Amino acid sequence: MRPILMKGHERPLTFLKYNRDGDLLFSCAKDHNPTVWFADNGERLGTYRGHNGAVWCCDVSRDSARLITGSADQTAKLWNVQTGQQLFTFNFDSPARAVDFSVGDKLAVITTDPFMDVTSAIHVKRIAGDPEDQIGESALILKGPQGRINRAVWGPLNRTIISAGEDAVIRIWDSETGKLLKENDPEVGHKKTITSLAKSVDGSHFLTGSLDKSAKLWDTRTLTLIKTYVTERPVNAVAMSPLCDHVVLGGGQDASTVTTTDHRSGKFEAKFYDKILQEEIGGVKGHFGPINALAFNPDGKSFSSGGEDGYVRLHHFDSDYFHIKI
């Protein structure tokens, strides 16, 4: 499987997201310009210009019409995917970190970082069908977690919000009342910052990756631990195959020690694990810096990775990938 190298960002990648049809790939990086690519051949379609800081996260609506991005410039922006036009800007008092559209795209959850005297928060915004009617007020603001909230996503039927971040606790909130419903058992939970969170296609379980060099699979409703995948280096990104029972972990050591390792030494590979047996089944090398972002195409036949090196690598699987036997 030969990767397609997609060079469009001048700074490290932070996030990758496919649209629901799997024909577009959106990438966010620290260079202020979220970019959209054709997901089959890696051709660049365009960039969304307007942010004034690193862009940490993005999400695309079900119909691929709207893009939402969260940035260190203390805003989250709504964009027209097709034209690249800015539709609306949500302003905050601190950097916006994670963004996620609800099922039906009527709501969005946005997390904001702690900054000066401001604590971190989870904001729920109503998304208007017509950008003219869009308002900036939050429908709900949740506070409580210490440190950054690196990920917040919607639970089943938009009834809950699942958040995770620097305090290594996964929390489930009621999205109507803002009440804290559950926290994960600290005995089995992560020991260090949770960097990433990926839901399964049906939303019944989700995967978290952490700097404690592991990834864990959780039941969405009960928040019980199902599986743990152990690796030798901090995990910056996780993804779950929608087709096979595979999970992918990406990571690498701290940026300060990067120059001391050879990119061929395999420190920066995306590692594939069997979801059920928790065993490593293979790796994809190539990045010459830690992997910060991973995403599977919704058809499960390709995946992409984004690294500290500023490249997005797009991999279409060979046919033998689908018949891996352990």
Side-chain angles (χ1 to χ4, degrees), residues 94-95 111-115 117-123 141-150 166-167:
S94 64
T111 71
T112 54
D113 284 355
F115 184 71
D117 303 331
V118 184
T119 57
S120 58
I122 302 169
H123 302 257
I141 300 178
L142 312 176
K143 291 189 176 171
Q146 298 298 310
R148 275 187 203 146
I149 305 165
N150 285 329
E166 276 187 346
D167 58 5

PDB file of all heavy atoms in Angstrom, residues 94-95 111-115 117-123 141-150 166-167:
ATOM      1  N   SER A  94     -11.324  32.390  25.809  1.00  0.00           N
ATOM      2  CA  SER A  94     -10.120  31.553  25.825  1.00  0.00           C
ATOM      3  C   SER A  94     -10.127  30.687  24.567  1.00  0.00           C
ATOM      4  O   SER A  94     -11.150  30.596  23.879  1.00  0.00           O
ATOM      5  CB  SER A  94     -10.098  30.697  27.095  1.00  0.00           C
ATOM      6  OG  SER A  94     -11.168  29.791  27.114  1.00  0.00           O
ATOM      7  N   PRO A  95      -9.001  30.042  24.247  1.00  0.00           N
ATOM      8  CA  PRO A  95      -8.944  29.242  23.005  1.00  0.00           C
ATOM      9  C   PRO A  95     -10.019  28.157  22.939  1.00  0.00           C
ATOM     10  O   PRO A  95     -10.334  27.529  23.956  1.00  0.00           O
ATOM     11  CB  PRO A  95      -7.551  28.604  23.074  1.00  0.00           C
ATOM     12  CG  PRO A  95      -6.740  29.546  23.898  1.00  0.00           C
ATOM     13  CD  PRO A  95      -7.689  30.121  24.911  1.00  0.00           C
ATOM     14  N   THR A 111     -15.531  23.081  23.248  1.00  0.00           N
ATOM     15  CA  THR A 111     -14.855  23.221  24.531  1.00  0.00           C
ATOM     16  C   THR A 111     -13.850  24.365  24.452  1.00  0.00           C
ATOM     17  O   THR A 111     -13.272  24.625  23.396  1.00  0.00           O
ATOM     18  CB  THR A 111     -14.105  21.941  24.956  1.00  0.00           C
ATOM     19  OG1 THR A 111     -12.956  21.774  24.112  1.00  0.00           O
ATOM     20  CG2 THR A 111     -14.979  20.718  24.845  1.00  0.00           C
ATOM     21  N   THR A 112     -13.670  25.046  25.579  1.00  0.00           N
ATOM     22  CA  THR A 112     -12.711  26.152  25.644  1.00  0.00           C
ATOM     23  C   THR A 112     -11.674  25.856  26.728  1.00  0.00           C
ATOM     24  O   THR A 112     -11.982  25.252  27.745  1.00  0.00           O
ATOM     25  CB  THR A 112     -13.412  27.482  25.941  1.00  0.00           C
ATOM     26  OG1 THR A 112     -14.197  27.341  27.124  1.00  0.00           O
ATOM     27  CG2 THR A 112     -14.314  27.878  24.782  1.00  0.00           C
ATOM     28  N   ASP A 113     -10.451  26.305  26.475  1.00  0.00           N
ATOM     29  CA  ASP A 113      -9.311  26.023  27.354  1.00  0.00           C
ATOM     30  C   ASP A 113      -9.309  26.925  28.586  1.00  0.00           C
ATOM     31  O   ASP A 113      -9.878  28.012  28.561  1.00  0.00           O
ATOM     32  CB  ASP A 113      -8.001  26.286  26.593  1.00  0.00           C
ATOM     33  CG  ASP A 113      -7.690  25.185  25.614  1.00  0.00           C
ATOM     34  OD1 ASP A 113      -8.437  24.193  25.603  1.00  0.00           O
ATOM     35  OD2 ASP A 113      -6.718  25.314  24.858  1.00  0.00           O
ATOM     36  N   PRO A 114      -8.612  26.491  29.641  1.00  0.00           N
ATOM     37  CA  PRO A 114      -8.348  27.428  30.732  1.00  0.00           C
ATOM     38  C   PRO A 114      -7.357  28.492  30.242  1.00  0.00           C
ATOM     39  O   PRO A 114      -6.450  28.182  29.467  1.00  0.00           O
ATOM     40  CB  PRO A 114      -7.708  26.548  31.818  1.00  0.00           C
ATOM     41  CG  PRO A 114      -7.294  25.296  31.160  1.00  0.00           C
ATOM     42  CD  PRO A 114      -8.045  25.162  29.887  1.00  0.00           C
ATOM     43  N   PHE A 115      -7.545  29.737  30.675  1.00  0.00           N
ATOM     44  CA  PHE A 115      -6.715  30.828  30.147  1.00  0.00           C
ATOM     45  C   PHE A 115      -6.779  31.980  31.137  1.00  0.00           C
ATOM     46  O   PHE A 115      -7.870  32.453  31.453  1.00  0.00           O
ATOM     47  CB  PHE A 115      -7.260  31.242  28.777  1.00  0.00           C
ATOM     48  CG  PHE A 115      -6.435  32.284  28.086  1.00  0.00           C
ATOM     49  CD1 PHE A 115      -5.185  31.966  27.582  1.00  0.00           C
ATOM     50  CD2 PHE A 115      -6.913  33.573  27.918  1.00  0.00           C
ATOM     51  CE1 PHE A 115      -4.432  32.930  26.929  1.00  0.00           C
ATOM     52  CE2 PHE A 115      -6.160  34.528  27.266  1.00  0.00           C
ATOM     53  CZ  PHE A 115      -4.914  34.214  26.772  1.00  0.00           C
ATOM     54  N   ASP A 117      -7.564  33.804  34.088  1.00  0.00           N
ATOM     55  CA  ASP A 117      -8.448  33.457  35.211  1.00  0.00           C
ATOM     56  C   ASP A 117      -9.646  32.625  34.783  1.00  0.00           C
ATOM     57  O   ASP A 117     -10.490  32.266  35.593  1.00  0.00           O
ATOM     58  CB  ASP A 117      -8.981  34.737  35.888  1.00  0.00           C
ATOM     59  CG  ASP A 117      -7.839  35.614  36.364  1.00  0.00           C
ATOM     60  OD1 ASP A 117      -6.774  35.054  36.676  1.00  0.00           O
ATOM     61  OD2 ASP A 117      -8.003  36.843  36.406  1.00  0.00           O
ATOM     62  N   VAL A 118      -9.745  32.352  33.475  1.00  0.00           N
ATOM     63  CA  VAL A 118     -10.920  31.646  32.951  1.00  0.00           C
ATOM     64  C   VAL A 118     -10.702  30.134  33.093  1.00  0.00           C
ATOM     65  O   VAL A 118      -9.656  29.624  32.717  1.00  0.00           O
ATOM     66  CB  VAL A 118     -11.126  32.003  31.461  1.00  0.00           C
ATOM     67  CG1 VAL A 118     -12.391  31.374  30.920  1.00  0.00           C
ATOM     68  CG2 VAL A 118     -11.169  33.512  31.286  1.00  0.00           C
ATOM     69  N   THR A 119     -11.693  29.428  33.626  1.00  0.00           N
ATOM     70  CA  THR A 119     -11.578  27.968  33.691  1.00  0.00           C
ATOM     71  C   THR A 119     -12.039  27.359  32.375  1.00  0.00           C
ATOM     72  O   THR A 119     -12.691  28.030  31.570  1.00  0.00           O
ATOM     73  CB  THR A 119     -12.450  27.399  34.832  1.00  0.00           C
ATOM     74  OG1 THR A 119     -13.798  27.824  34.608  1.00  0.00           O
ATOM     75  CG2 THR A 119     -11.979  27.881  36.186  1.00  0.00           C
ATOM     76  N   SER A 120     -11.702  26.082  32.184  1.00  0.00           N
ATOM     77  CA  SER A 120     -12.161  25.410  30.965  1.00  0.00           C
ATOM     78  C   SER A 120     -13.669  25.181  31.048  1.00  0.00           C
ATOM     79  O   SER A 120     -14.233  25.078  32.138  1.00  0.00           O
ATOM     80  CB  SER A 120     -11.429  24.085  30.797  1.00  0.00           C
ATOM     81  OG  SER A 120     -11.638  23.273  31.919  1.00  0.00           O
ATOM     82  N   ALA A 121     -14.309  25.113  29.890  1.00  0.00           N
ATOM     83  CA  ALA A 121     -15.768  24.956  29.868  1.00  0.00           C
ATOM     84  C   ALA A 121     -16.190  24.201  28.620  1.00  0.00           C
ATOM     85  O   ALA A 121     -15.447  24.113  27.638  1.00  0.00           O
ATOM     86  CB  ALA A 121     -16.449  26.320  29.909  1.00  0.00           C
ATOM     87  N   ILE A 122     -17.393  23.638  28.702  1.00  0.00           N
ATOM     88  CA  ILE A 122     -18.009  22.980  27.548  1.00  0.00           C
ATOM     89  C   ILE A 122     -19.246  23.796  27.187  1.00  0.00           C
ATOM     90  O   ILE A 122     -20.124  24.002  28.022  1.00  0.00           O
ATOM     91  CB  ILE A 122     -18.415  21.533  27.897  1.00  0.00           C
ATOM     92  CG1 ILE A 122     -17.194  20.732  28.366  1.00  0.00           C
ATOM     93  CG2 ILE A 122     -19.076  20.855  26.696  1.00  0.00           C
ATOM     94  CD1 ILE A 122     -17.531  19.382  28.975  1.00  0.00           C
ATOM     95  N   HIS A 123     -19.291  24.295  25.964  1.00  0.00           N
ATOM     96  CA  HIS A 123     -20.406  25.135  25.521  1.00  0.00           C
ATOM     97  C   HIS A 123     -21.274  24.355  24.538  1.00  0.00           C
ATOM     98  O   HIS A 123     -20.741  23.703  23.637  1.00  0.00           O
ATOM     99  CB  HIS A 123     -19.901  26.391  24.799  1.00  0.00           C
ATOM    100  CG  HIS A 123     -18.990  27.241  25.622  1.00  0.00           C
ATOM    101  ND1 HIS A 123     -19.396  28.414  26.221  1.00  0.00           N
ATOM    102  CD2 HIS A 123     -17.682  27.093  25.957  1.00  0.00           C
ATOM    103  CE1 HIS A 123     -18.384  28.941  26.887  1.00  0.00           C
ATOM    104  NE2 HIS A 123     -17.323  28.155  26.736  1.00  0.00           N
ATOM    105  N   ILE A 141     -23.746  25.892  29.366  1.00  0.00           N
ATOM    106  CA  ILE A 141     -22.303  25.926  29.636  1.00  0.00           C
ATOM    107  C   ILE A 141     -22.015  24.998  30.809  1.00  0.00           C
ATOM    108  O   ILE A 141     -22.640  25.115  31.858  1.00  0.00           O
ATOM    109  CB  ILE A 141     -21.818  27.360  29.968  1.00  0.00           C
ATOM    110  CG1 ILE A 141     -22.108  28.305  28.798  1.00  0.00           C
ATOM    111  CG2 ILE A 141     -20.319  27.353  30.275  1.00  0.00           C
ATOM    112  CD1 ILE A 141     -21.703  29.747  29.053  1.00  0.00           C
ATOM    113  N   LEU A 142     -21.108  24.042  30.599  1.00  0.00           N
ATOM    114  CA  LEU A 142     -20.757  23.082  31.647  1.00  0.00           C
ATOM    115  C   LEU A 142     -19.349  23.388  32.144  1.00  0.00           C
ATOM    116  O   LEU A 142     -18.438  23.583  31.344  1.00  0.00           O
ATOM    117  CB  LEU A 142     -20.781  21.652  31.096  1.00  0.00           C
ATOM    118  CG  LEU A 142     -21.997  21.242  30.286  1.00  0.00           C
ATOM    119  CD1 LEU A 142     -21.816  19.844  29.746  1.00  0.00           C
ATOM    120  CD2 LEU A 142     -23.236  21.299  31.145  1.00  0.00           C
ATOM    121  N   LYS A 143     -19.196  23.406  33.468  1.00  0.00           N
ATOM    122  CA  LYS A 143     -17.866  23.619  34.047  1.00  0.00           C
ATOM    123  C   LYS A 143     -17.596  22.550  35.086  1.00  0.00           C
ATOM    124  O   LYS A 143     -18.519  21.924  35.582  1.00  0.00           O
ATOM    125  CB  LYS A 143     -17.765  25.009  34.673  1.00  0.00           C
ATOM    126  CG  LYS A 143     -17.790  26.100  33.621  1.00  0.00           C
ATOM    127  CD  LYS A 143     -17.483  27.464  34.169  1.00  0.00           C
ATOM    128  CE  LYS A 143     -17.435  28.456  33.003  1.00  0.00           C
ATOM    129  NZ  LYS A 143     -17.357  29.835  33.418  1.00  0.00           N
ATOM    130  N   GLY A 144     -16.338  22.358  35.423  1.00  0.00           N
ATOM    131  CA  GLY A 144     -16.007  21.369  36.445  1.00  0.00           C
ATOM    132  C   GLY A 144     -14.667  20.713  36.223  1.00  0.00           C
ATOM    133  O   GLY A 144     -13.843  20.659  37.130  1.00  0.00           O
ATOM    134  N   PRO A 145     -14.408  20.194  34.986  1.00  0.00           N
ATOM    135  CA  PRO A 145     -13.131  19.513  34.778  1.00  0.00           C
ATOM    136  C   PRO A 145     -11.949  20.462  34.963  1.00  0.00           C
ATOM    137  O   PRO A 145     -12.043  21.646  34.644  1.00  0.00           O
ATOM    138  CB  PRO A 145     -13.221  19.048  33.317  1.00  0.00           C
ATOM    139  CG  PRO A 145     -14.671  19.043  32.997  1.00  0.00           C
ATOM    140  CD  PRO A 145     -15.293  20.119  33.831  1.00  0.00           C
ATOM    141  N   GLN A 146     -10.863  19.940  35.512  1.00  0.00           N
ATOM    142  CA  GLN A 146      -9.636  20.719  35.657  1.00  0.00           C
ATOM    143  C   GLN A 146      -8.810  20.594  34.378  1.00  0.00           C
ATOM    144  O   GLN A 146      -8.778  19.559  33.757  1.00  0.00           O
ATOM    145  CB  GLN A 146      -8.815  20.181  36.837  1.00  0.00           C
ATOM    146  CG  GLN A 146      -9.518  20.291  38.179  1.00  0.00           C
ATOM    147  CD  GLN A 146      -9.800  21.740  38.549  1.00  0.00           C
ATOM    148  OE1 GLN A 146      -8.921  22.575  38.498  1.00  0.00           O
ATOM    149  NE2 GLN A 146     -11.048  22.025  38.901  1.00  0.00           N
ATOM    150  N   GLY A 147      -8.117  21.667  34.027  1.00  0.00           N
ATOM    151  CA  GLY A 147      -7.227  21.615  32.866  1.00  0.00           C
ATOM    152  C   GLY A 147      -8.011  21.597  31.559  1.00  0.00           C
ATOM    153  O   GLY A 147      -9.226  21.729  31.533  1.00  0.00           O
ATOM    154  N   ARG A 148      -7.281  21.426  30.473  1.00  0.00           N
ATOM    155  CA  ARG A 148      -7.902  21.417  29.149  1.00  0.00           C
ATOM    156  C   ARG A 148      -8.887  20.273  28.988  1.00  0.00           C
ATOM    157  O   ARG A 148      -8.657  19.186  29.483  1.00  0.00           O
ATOM    158  CB  ARG A 148      -6.835  21.207  28.087  1.00  0.00           C
ATOM    159  CG  ARG A 148      -6.160  22.443  27.648  1.00  0.00           C
ATOM    160  CD  ARG A 148      -5.267  22.081  26.468  1.00  0.00           C
ATOM    161  NE  ARG A 148      -4.234  23.072  26.354  1.00  0.00           N
ATOM    162  CZ  ARG A 148      -2.999  22.816  25.949  1.00  0.00           C
ATOM    163  NH1 ARG A 148      -2.650  21.581  25.633  1.00  0.00           N
ATOM    164  NH2 ARG A 148      -2.123  23.768  25.864  1.00  0.00           N
ATOM    165  N   ILE A 149      -9.930  20.524  28.234  1.00  0.00           N
ATOM    166  CA  ILE A 149     -10.842  19.448  27.834  1.00  0.00           C
ATOM    167  C   ILE A 149     -10.513  19.169  26.367  1.00  0.00           C
ATOM    168  O   ILE A 149     -10.894  19.921  25.478  1.00  0.00           O
ATOM    169  CB  ILE A 149     -12.313  19.874  28.001  1.00  0.00           C
ATOM    170  CG1 ILE A 149     -12.548  20.348  29.428  1.00  0.00           C
ATOM    171  CG2 ILE A 149     -13.244  18.729  27.642  1.00  0.00           C
ATOM    172  CD1 ILE A 149     -13.833  21.113  29.633  1.00  0.00           C
ATOM    173  N   ASN A 150      -9.766  18.097  26.128  1.00  0.00           N
ATOM    174  CA  ASN A 150      -9.236  17.871  24.781  1.00  0.00           C
ATOM    175  C   ASN A 150     -10.285  17.367  23.805  1.00  0.00           C
ATOM    176  O   ASN A 150     -10.168  17.562  22.603  1.00  0.00           O
ATOM    177  CB  ASN A 150      -8.059  16.894  24.841  1.00  0.00           C
ATOM    178  CG  ASN A 150      -6.808  17.558  25.381  1.00  0.00           C
ATOM    179  OD1 ASN A 150      -6.611  18.753  25.193  1.00  0.00           O
ATOM    180  ND2 ASN A 150      -5.988  16.795  26.075  1.00  0.00           N
ATOM    181  N   GLU A 166      -7.241  16.782  30.218  1.00  0.00           N
ATOM    182  CA  GLU A 166      -5.989  16.765  30.977  1.00  0.00           C
ATOM    183  C   GLU A 166      -6.093  16.105  32.342  1.00  0.00           C
ATOM    184  O   GLU A 166      -5.105  15.595  32.854  1.00  0.00           O
ATOM    185  CB  GLU A 166      -5.462  18.196  31.149  1.00  0.00           C
ATOM    186  CG  GLU A 166      -4.668  18.653  29.963  1.00  0.00           C
ATOM    187  CD  GLU A 166      -3.997  19.999  30.165  1.00  0.00           C
ATOM    188  OE1 GLU A 166      -4.320  20.733  31.098  1.00  0.00           O
ATOM    189  OE2 GLU A 166      -3.134  20.308  29.336  1.00  0.00           O
ATOM    190  N   ASP A 167      -7.290  16.115  32.937  1.00  0.00           N
ATOM    191  CA  ASP A 167      -7.369  15.503  34.271  1.00  0.00           C
ATOM    192  C   ASP A 167      -7.597  13.994  34.191  1.00  0.00           C
ATOM    193  O   ASP A 167      -7.797  13.339  35.218  1.00  0.00           O
ATOM    194  CB  ASP A 167      -8.440  16.176  35.136  1.00  0.00           C
ATOM    195  CG  ASP A 167      -9.824  16.118  34.491  1.00  0.00           C
ATOM    196  OD1 ASP A 167      -9.953  15.478  33.432  1.00  0.00           O
ATOM    197  OD2 ASP A 167     -10.758  16.710  35.057  1.00  0.00           O
TER     198      ASP A 167
END
